[in-house]
Amino acid sequence: SQKIEQNSEALNIQEGKTATLTCNYTNYSPAYLQWYRQDPGRGPVFLLLIRENEKEKRKERLKVTFDTTLKQSLFHITASQPADSATYLCALDTSGGYNKLIFGAGTRLAVHP
Amino acid sequence: NAGVTQTPKFRVLKTGQSMTLLCAQDMNHEYMYWYRQDPGMGLRLIHYSVGEGTTAKGEVPDGYNVSRLKKQNFLLGLESAAPSQTSVYFCASSSTGTTEAFFGQGTRLTVV
């Protein structure tokens, strides 16, 4: 079965530093991978989508890489701020075009002033 | 635009009771989804729809039914609630099958 692993431990970093979150997957070759942010008591909010033929994608302070050989995606937040504190979810489409997403359990990021 | 709206936000059911969760989207999206989220686990897909009048099973469909009579609405039904269905339920929609999903604010359901 499909398996997505994200850092289970919370990630604590100092304001201004770069946060790096990891998403590893097995048993599938997804056409694309998505990252979402989730705040307590709220629904996930889309951040970035990266396709299998893209090595890297950027949006403002966010950067995502996608290594289909390693079956891994890295999510970076540069110049982190306390407002970036949230849980970040990695998701893969397993259906080849129906957006049937499988989510990792998420990594909780805490940015300290 | 409201985006994706879920009703109700909270609900407590007794075992064996039934209920319907409503999801409405105003983005004219074709695809709609119902997920559940449990502590320490990723969101899991219950059912989904790729257009008005169509529904299909996801990863954990047992104990749930859905209907998509109108393009903007996707209903999730629990015919006979069980404590194992205590969870937070999220509805989502997307314009196509390969673009980002927009999520509602969630429904916290407790079955006692």
Side-chain angles (χ1 to χ4, degrees), chain A residues 3 6 31 37-38 41 46-47 52 57 64 69 72 76-78 92 100 107 113:
Chain A
K3 192 174 181 182
Q6 297 187 247
R37 167 183 173 142
Q38 187 173 26
F46 172 78
L47 295 174
E52 61 179 341
K57 200 92 171 267
V64 173
T69 301
Q72 180 181 78
H76 306 272
I77 305 175
T78 58
L92 304 177
K100 292 168 61 179
T107 298

Side-chain angles (χ1 to χ4, degrees), chain B residues 24-91:
Chain B
Q25 54 96 2
D26 61 4
M27 296 172 283
N28 201 35
H29 285 172
E30 289 291 338
Y31 294 71
M32 296 187 75
Y33 311 84
W34 276 106
Y35 290 88
R36 61 176 289 174
Q37 186 174 38
D38 300 294
M41 301 182 68
L43 283 85
R44 292 182 292 168
L45 183 64
I46 305 171
H47 286 280
Y48 67 102
S49 168
V50 300
E52 180 179 314
T54 74
T55 63
K57 294 179 181 180
E59 181 187 356
V60 289
D62 294 342
Y64 305 95
N65 57 75
V66 288
S67 65
R68 182 108 181 260
L69 300 179
K70 293 183 178 181
K71 186 177 183 178
Q72 63 267 34
N73 295 336
F74 196 28
L75 279 62
L76 177 71
L78 286 74
E79 291 183 346
S80 179
S84 60
Q85 293 178 304
T86 293
S87 187
V88 180
Y89 292 85
F90 288 100
C91 175

